[in-house]
Amino acid sequence: MDAVRTILVVGLGNPGPAYAENRHNAGFQCLAHYAERAGMRFSFYRFRASLAEKVIDGRRLLLARPLTYMNESGQAVGPLVRHYRVALQDLLVVYDDLDLPTGKLRLRARGGSGGHKGLDSIQRVLGTQEVPRLRLGIGRPLSGDAVDYVLSDFGRDEQVLVQAMCERAAAAIDCFVNHGIVAAMNRYNADEAERV
């Protein structure tokens, strides 16, 4: 494998049209928005993931959507990290989070999975919690089962919030790609704090 530095951004979700608009697929949705903004297309498959690739200033930018279903995301991410020799600071995992209000963002450089099975799978396969992540707020249901909630679609009244979230997520991903996780945290976590 060549020595080109690879930055890997992974959006988490479940594959297939039945899940496309689910809250649990916010990672897929925001990564697709970033890809469109960056002029990238998901055009090939490797290691059970749909991939888009672009070279920027001598670095390879790789976008990945695992096709393993959420709870087994590590089965795609682990082989991609090893094959492309991705340093952990050059990996960003983008996923939905019940603990943030709908439309809010939060970046972290490391830490536990917070019960998110997709991130947990990735951390188990990589053997570390040193995984930078971008959390996408989907809120919690007022009542009922959280599993049913995450596998339901965003409501019409939430679409404006979700669209704005995808815009900010794309900008945060771009900052991560060009300046790293610390710069992205400093800018976008502060930006989110001002929105409260």
Side-chain angles (χ1 to χ4, degrees), residues 5 89-90 172 174-185:
R5 177 184 169 199
Q89 68 265 20
D90 289 333
D174 196 56
C175 186
F176 169 81
V177 168
N178 289 295
H179 305 292
I181 188 63
V182 173
M185 288 168 58

Side-chain angles (χ1 to χ4, degrees), residues 77-123:
V77 176
L80 285 168
V81 166
R82 288 189 289 273
H83 180 79
Y84 288 100
R85 298 181 182 174
V86 178
L88 287 176
Q89 68 265 20
D90 289 333
L91 169 65
L92 182 69
V93 180
V94 184
Y95 62 93
D96 61 293
D97 195 309
L98 285 162
D99 293 324
L100 289 174
T102 301
K104 295 291 183 184
L105 303 179
R106 192 79 183 162
L107 290 130
R108 289 187 69 192
R110 63 187 59 83
S113 67
H116 192 281
K117 291 187 169 69
L119 180 62
D120 183 63
S121 172
I122 291 168
Q123 291 182 332

Side-chain angles (χ1 to χ4, degrees), residues 65-86:
R65 295 184 296 194
L67 302 177
T68 55
Y69 290 96
M70 179 68 83
N71 296 358
E72 302 298 335
S73 297
Q75 292 182 11
V77 176
L80 285 168
V81 166
R82 288 189 289 273
H83 180 79
Y84 288 100
R85 298 181 182 174
V86 178

